[in-house]
Amino acid sequence: MSSVKSFLNSPYTFWVILSLPAIPMMIGLTSGDPKAVTQVLHPTGEFAARFLIVSLMITPLMMLFKGARWPRWLMKRRRYLGVAAFGYALAHTILYLIDEGAVAFTGGEISKLYIWTGWLAFLIFVPLAVTSTDGWVRALGTRWKALQRFVYGAAVLTLVHWAALHEWGGVTPALVQFGPLIALEVYRLNYNLQRRRLRMA
């Protein structure tokens, strides 16, 4: 039983789980289908958003399910989820550049809402991913948490990026994916406000 528990708790096992969505994507890209890049473009972006959402849900889940072990288990792996989100976002960006070519850098393309919000979200992800190692956490100290809070801005930009796709045709899918996170953040805000009122009473 201990060996099974050790296997399930291994970071390598968790990384394998996070990598599973990439397997059919890689198969698609190596299939020789001329439309493979376009077909994989959206799934990479969607999984980047999903892993980002899960990572941000962990703190309010710990507040909601006090004493439960599984939110604490997720909390220990939150950085892995963040790095996985960046990995899929990086793949999404590379595939977008391959799919669009030189058009990706034209003013007409970059000026589109769903494009520049995507670029801004990705640019925020870069320093967050780079500083995700234990070495950077120690080097930055309290500043590390302050830096990581920019992830909320990236999440908002990601939501707008997804919703604005196809002339706002992505609003419903985006809200379905981000809905649980929005609900948990509202709960978290209300919880913190109530605690503040109790301290002031």
Side-chain angles (χ1 to χ4, degrees):
M1 188 67 173
S2 59
S3 60
V4 173
K5 186 176 180 181
S6 177
F7 172 76
L8 293 174
N9 286 328
S10 169
Y12 300 107
T13 303
F14 196 66
W15 275 116
V16 169
I17 294 170
L18 296 176
S19 301
L20 289 177
I23 295 175
M25 298 179 194
M26 293 298 295
I27 293 172
L29 287 172
T30 56
S31 66
D33 186 343
K35 296 183 179 178
V37 171
T38 304
Q39 291 170 350
V40 176
L41 179 61
H42 291 298
T44 52
E46 289 168 4
F47 274 99
R50 286 167 186 157
F51 286 133
L52 172 64
I53 290 166
V54 173
S55 69
L56 292 176
M57 288 173 62
I58 295 172
T59 296
L61 282 172
M62 287 186 65
M63 298 165 67
L64 183 60
F65 297 98
K66 293 179 182 177
R69 293 183 178 180
W70 61 270
R72 294 200 300 271
W73 185 89
L74 282 172
M75 178 61 79
K76 293 178 181 178
R77 292 154 180 81
R78 185 165 62 175
R79 270 192 283 166
Y80 301 156
L81 285 161
V83 172
F86 173 74
Y88 284 95
L90 177 62
H92 181 65
T93 303
I94 292 171
L95 290 171
Y96 163 72
L97 292 174
I98 293 172
D99 190 47
E100 293 294 330
V103 176
F105 300 101
T106 61
E109 181 73 0
I110 294 175
S111 64
K112 294 175 182 176
L113 178 62
Y114 72 91
I115 295 298
W116 66 258
T117 50
W119 275 114
L120 277 180
F122 179 72
L123 291 174
I124 292 173
F125 281 141
V126 172
L128 302 184
V130 169
T131 58
S132 64
T133 64
D134 291 337
W136 273 108
V137 173
R138 289 191 297 269
L140 292 174
T142 56
R143 291 174 295 172
W144 186 81
K145 283 191 175 181
L147 176 64
Q148 293 297 314
R149 288 193 184 99
F150 281 98
V151 72
Y152 292 99
V156 172
L157 288 166
T158 301
L159 172 58
V160 176
H161 169 70
W162 195 340
L165 285 171
H166 311 301
E167 299 297 327
W168 294 93
V171 171
T172 300
L175 289 177
V176 167
Q177 298 293 330
F178 278 86
L181 174 61
I182 293 170
L184 283 169
E185 287 298 334
V186 170
Y187 164 79
R188 180 183 183 182
L189 177 62
N190 183 60
Y191 177 87
N192 288 333
L193 286 173
Q194 287 184 349
R195 288 191 63 186
R196 188 176 301 172
R197 287 170 186 162
L198 287 172
R199 287 199 300 268
M200 294 175 64

